[in-house]
Each structure stands twice: as structure tokens, then as C-alpha cells.
């Protein structure tokens, strides 16, 4: 059994994608994924596929706590803050600053103004999501943070330090014994 | 065999901490100064062994080495394993700080148990010592897996089912650790035979 599982989740359009791994890089197959809202109510649950992936549509506009239960005492979690879900709740009617900018531009160039600002927004979002996909993959890889040599040698250093402390007390004890004998 | 944070219920965590504290106290009392360097080396080995993944089987498993730690240190396995687990939790995020007690019990209790079973046998001639060492290495992993099942029973998972899963996941590790323990004992018998007789 591994010792650590990680789940990483990101929002793409109106879906949330998750990827789950054991430390060491093995994917979590058939792990239970449970999604909670900010108040701790369970929203939905599912299982990871053979690639350790699980995706679901955004159920509610709240911060999502995604918990992975990989069995045999393994648990990992990831929280998506509500700010990342801001643009998700379907086509919006309010005009965001970017839409205003688009409007100004389209005013100057009437030949491309057939598209509604909402359509432009959706198209742009789609294109960005598509472009960002490889970047998200790289982020997932980076998030794995396997133990580095610094961690390993740091740990060994701590153990040697403890050995040093013990040796110091041993030395104190021995020299105290010798001193005791001298004064006798 | 590290149980993650947030899996176990409060009473299990607390009793794990209490029992582990007793074990560590006994271990420290029995660990005299002359054996401290030995304990430090074994602690470092245990600490690093968890990074060696065994790519066989359904889950992701790694070496544990609690058998050889118990064989050489006896009750000293408790403080040694606690130190290594603390560092693993802090540096590698394996297990967790609140589960330290339970995780220490999971790995150190089988080590002490195997020490009483095999501690004398490995001091005998190689015909007896080597098979004993192999069984010691394998059995300590097996018992650790059963301990995991036991700890998880109190939450809501079925004891037999979880133990079965953990044991099968660790079958390759049991064999590998048996071989490693046998090699260590064979090596120590040649180089430092007095290390096996305490």
C-alpha cells in the first residue's frame, strides 16, 4: 500500500476534472470520489476510471471539497474555491468588463459584430480551455511533488542529529562517572 | 502501510497514540547507549525504504523493513520507527501527524512480536537462522497488514475484507522482505555475529 494519495481537480468550462494518483505515480483505479459543498453536504459521488480520472458537471455554485477515498486507509482531498467557478453558471446576462471591451471593439469594426458578445465569450472560453489543457496536464504532473533528494538527505540528517544528541548525553554521563570516581 | 489523516475515528487515534507511547517508553528504557548508533542506522534504513516501490500487484506498495528492525532492536523498534515515521510524515507527507500513533503501532508491534519469535533462532546455525529470518521478514509485513485491517475495522470497513486486500497487495513485499531479511542475517552472521545475540 502506498502511503499517500493525491487528488487534483480543475475546472474546464462547466465541468470539473479530477486526477488521482498514489505517490510513486500509480493511478488510483476505482477509487471513490465524493464531492461536498462548503457546508459539508454531499453533492455527488463517483468512481475513478482506470486512468485515475473522474469528471463531473458543476453541480452548484459553491466552493467544492473533493475527497478521494482510495481504500485501505488512503484519503486525499482538494478544494476548488468558488472564485474558480465564477464563469460557470451558464450564459450570463450581466456584462463583464471583458464583454464591454469586446463591445467597444466590435463597435469600431462592424464587419465582425454579427456575433453576440455572449457567443464571442463562449467561443473564447472554449478556445482558452482547449489551449490550457496541456498546461493543466503539466500542472498535474508538477503537483505530484515526489520526495526530493533534499527531503531524503534531510531526513537522514535529522536521524544523525538525534544520534548526536544521544551520543552527547552518553558522553556527559560517562565523564560524570569518571569525575565521580576521581573525587572518591 | 501509512494510514492517511482524516480516515480513522478519534478513539482509534487516541488509543493508537497511548499504546505507541507505552511502546516507545519501554523501547527507550531497553535501548542502552551502546545500541543507539545501531538504532540510528536502522531508523535511517526504515525511513528510506518507504521510497522503494514494488511495482507488482494491484496497489502501490513499498518496502517496510520492520522485520529486520525488530530482529536487531527488539522493543527498540518502537522509538526507531516513530522517529522514521515522523520524518516521513513531515518530509514526504506519508501518513499524517495525527495518525503517527496508529501507524507506529501498525509497524512496530509486529516487529517486537517477531523479535520474540525469531530473535533466538537467528543466532543459531545458518540452516535454522536463514529460514527463520525469511519468515520473520515476511511475517512482520503480514502482521502489519492485519493491523491495518484492525485499525480500519473501527471506522466502517469490514475487517476481513480490508485485511484480505492489504495482505494480497503486500504479498510481493512479503517475499522481497523475507529475502532481504535473510540476506541481512547471513551478512551479519559473517561480519557482526554479536549483533544478532542480545
Amino acid at each position: 500500500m502506498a502511503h499517500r494519495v493525491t487528488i487534483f481537480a480543475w475546472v474546464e468550462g462547466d465541468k470539473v476534472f479530477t486526477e488521482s494518483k498514489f505517490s510513486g505515480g500509480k493511478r488510483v483505479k476505482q477509487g471513490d470520489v465524493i464531492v461536498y459543498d462548503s457546508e459539508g453536504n454531499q453533492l455527488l459521488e463517483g468512481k475513478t476510471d482506470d486512468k485515475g480520472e473522474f469528471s463531473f458537471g458543476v453541480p452548484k455554485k459553491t466552493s467544492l471539497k473533493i475527497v478521494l477515498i482510495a481504500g485501505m486507509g488512503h484519503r486525499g482531498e482538494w478544494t476548488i474555491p468558488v472564485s474558480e467557478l465564477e464563469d460557470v453558471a451558464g450564459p450570463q446576462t450581466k456584462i463583464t468588463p471583458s464583454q464591454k471591451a469586446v463591445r467597444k471593439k466590435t463597435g469600431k469594426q462592424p464587419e465582425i459584430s454579427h456575433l453576440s458578445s455572449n457567443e464571442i465569450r463562449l467561443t473564447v472560453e472554449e478556445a482558452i480551455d482547449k489551449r490550457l489543457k496541456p498546461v493543466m496536464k503539466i500542472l498535474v504532473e508538477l503537483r505530484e511533488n515526489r520526495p526530493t533528494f533534499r527531503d531524503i538527505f534531510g531526513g537522514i540528517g535529522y536521524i544523525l542529529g538525534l544520534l548526536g544528541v544521544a551520543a552527547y548525553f552518553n558522553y556527559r554521563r560517562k565523564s560524570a562517572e569518571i569525575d565521580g570516581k576521581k573525587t572518591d | 502501510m501509512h494510514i492517511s489523516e482524516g480516515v480513522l475515528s478519534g478513539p482509534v487515534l487516541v488509543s493508537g497514540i497511548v499504546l505507541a507511547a507505552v511502546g516507545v517508553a519501554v523501547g527507550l528504557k531497553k535501548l542502552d547507549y551502546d545500541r543507539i548508533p545501531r538504532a540510528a542506522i536502522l531508523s535511517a534504513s526504515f525511513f528510506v525504504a518507504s521510497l522503494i516501490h514494488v511495482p507488482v500487484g494491484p496497489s502501490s506498495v513499498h518496502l517496510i523493513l520492520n522485520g529486520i528492525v525488530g530482529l536487531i532492536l527488539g522493543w527498540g523498534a518502537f522509538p526507531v520507527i516513530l522517529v522514521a515515521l515522523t520524518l516521513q510524515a513531515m518530509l514526504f507527507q506519508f501518513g499524517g501527524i495525527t495518525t503517527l500513533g496508529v501507524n507506529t503501532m501498525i509497524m512496530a508491534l509486529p516487529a517486537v512480536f517477531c523479535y520474540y519469535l525469531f530473535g533466538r533462532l537467528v543466532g543459531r546455525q545458518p540452516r535454522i537462522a536463514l529460514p527463520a529470518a525469511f519468515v520473520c521478514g515476511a511475517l512482520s509485513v503480514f502482521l502489519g497488514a492485519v493491523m491495518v485491517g484492525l485499525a480500519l475495522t473501527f471506522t466502517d470497513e469490514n475487517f476481513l475484507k480490508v485485511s484480505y486486500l492489504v495482505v494480497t497487495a503486500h504479498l510481493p513485499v512479503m517475499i522481497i522482505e523475507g529475502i532481504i531479511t535473510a540476506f541481512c542475517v547471513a551478512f551479519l552472521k559473517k561480519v557482526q555475529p554479536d549483533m544478532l545475540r542480545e
Side-chain angles (χ1 to χ4, degrees):
Chain A
M1 159 174 24
H3 15 255
R4 189 162 73 115
V5 290
T6 45
I7 181 164
F8 178 57
W10 67 98
V11 186
E12 238 179 75
D14 57 353
K15 281 188 107 175
V16 178
F17 290 82
T18 71
E19 198 168 280
S20 310
K21 274 181 186 170
F22 288 110
S23 57
K26 221 167 172 175
R27 309 299 175 111
V28 179
K29 296 171 186 173
Q30 300 298 314
D32 290 314
V33 178
I34 306 169
V35 182
Y36 299 94
D37 65 8
S38 49
E39 275 106 51
N41 305 313
Q42 184 175 331
L43 296 176
L44 60 98
E45 63 174 286
K47 273 189 186 300
T48 58
D49 62 11
D50 282 355
K51 280 151 94 186
E53 289 168 7
F54 172 65
S55 59
F56 55 91
V58 174
K60 195 173 158 190
K61 216 176 144 190
T62 161
S63 64
L64 298 171
K65 193 171 109 179
I66 302 169
V67 175
L68 166 73
I69 311 245
M72 299 190 280
H74 290 123
R75 184 179 181 278
E77 63 175 72
W78 180 266
T79 307
I80 296 182
V82 70
S83 58
E84 280 183 37
L85 294 173
E86 239 156 35
D87 302 328
V88 172
Q92 288 166 330
T93 44
K94 77 167 195 231
I95 297 167
T96 59
S98 63
Q99 274 175 308
K100 271 184 198 157
V102 168
R103 282 218 172 142
K104 268 183 202 160
K105 263 191 188 166
T106 51
K108 278 176 195 163
Q109 295 164 308
E111 64 271 21
I112 58 158
S113 65
H114 308 298
L115 293 167
S116 77
S117 60
N118 213 9
E119 272 174 299
I120 293 173
R121 192 177 59 83
L122 287 175
T123 320
V124 168
E125 249 171 33
E126 211 171 87
I128 289 175
D129 278 349
K130 213 168 162 188
R131 281 290 161 89
L132 277 181
K133 202 159 191 170
V135 180
M136 290 318 271
K137 284 271 176 210
I138 293 168
L139 276 182
V140 173
E141 300 293 318
L142 282 180
R143 270 248 340 143
E144 208 185 301
N145 64 3
R146 333 165 149 246
T148 59
F149 278 106
R150 200 169 48 184
D151 294 332
I152 298 166
F153 287 109
I156 295 172
Y158 270 106
I159 293 169
L160 291 182
L162 285 174
L163 169 65
V165 170
Y168 169 73
F169 280 108
N170 187 26
Y171 167 78
R172 286 245 309 222
R173 190 180 54 104
K174 274 199 176 142
S175 55
E177 267 173 26
I178 292 166
D179 286 348
K181 268 178 199 157
K182 269 186 195 158
T183 51
D184 277 348
Chain B
M1 301 215 174
H2 303 65
I3 294 183
S4 313
E5 212 115 27
V7 173
L8 297 172
S9 58
V12 179
L13 289 176
V14 172
S15 44
I17 290 168
V18 171
L19 288 172
V22 173
V24 170
V26 175
L28 284 177
K29 214 158 167 71
K30 296 213 172 194
L31 199 64
D32 52 33
Y33 279 107
D34 298 335
R35 291 210 288 166
I36 295 246
R38 208 176 289 179
I41 292 168
L42 285 167
S43 192
S45 317
F46 183 92
F47 169 71
V48 176
S50 67
L51 295 173
I52 303 173
H53 289 269
V54 178
V56 196
S59 181
S60 162
V61 290
H62 60 82
L63 293 188
I64 300 161
L65 294 190
N66 55 347
I68 189 77
V69 171
L71 208 52
I72 294 175
L73 292 175
W75 280 91
F78 266 96
V80 157
I81 287 176
L82 175 68
V83 166
L85 282 178
T86 311
L87 290 169
Q88 285 173 353
M90 290 193 312
L91 296 170
F92 304 159
Q93 287 86 47
F94 290 177
I97 299 295
T98 54
T99 53
L100 266 181
V102 175
N103 285 337
T104 304
M105 284 303 292
I106 286 172
M107 288 175 252
L109 195 65
V112 175
F113 186 74
C114 284
Y115 166 75
Y116 281 112
L117 274 187
F118 302 104
R120 277 162 204 277
L121 288 178
V122 291
R124 312 253 302 258
Q125 67 262 44
R127 203 154 43 87
I128 299 169
L130 293 188
F134 179 88
V135 178
C136 169
L139 185 69
S140 55
V141 176
F142 174 82
L143 291 175
V146 175
M147 294 279 294
V148 171
L150 202 64
L152 290 175
T153 311
F154 295 103
T155 49
D156 47 33
E157 299 194 57
N158 180 298
F159 171 66
L160 281 178
K161 207 176 114 199
V162 178
S163 306
Y164 175 77
L165 274 177
V166 183
V167 169
T168 44
H170 280 86
L171 278 179
V173 178
M174 283 165 62
I175 295 165
I176 293 169
E177 296 229 354
I179 295 168
I180 290 176
T181 311
F183 265 110
C184 286
V185 167
F187 180 74
L188 287 175
K189 278 181 105 57
K190 269 189 206 142
V191 187
Q192 281 268 309
D194 54 318
M195 227 163 136
L196 297 170
R197 260 178 259 126
E198 295 287 341

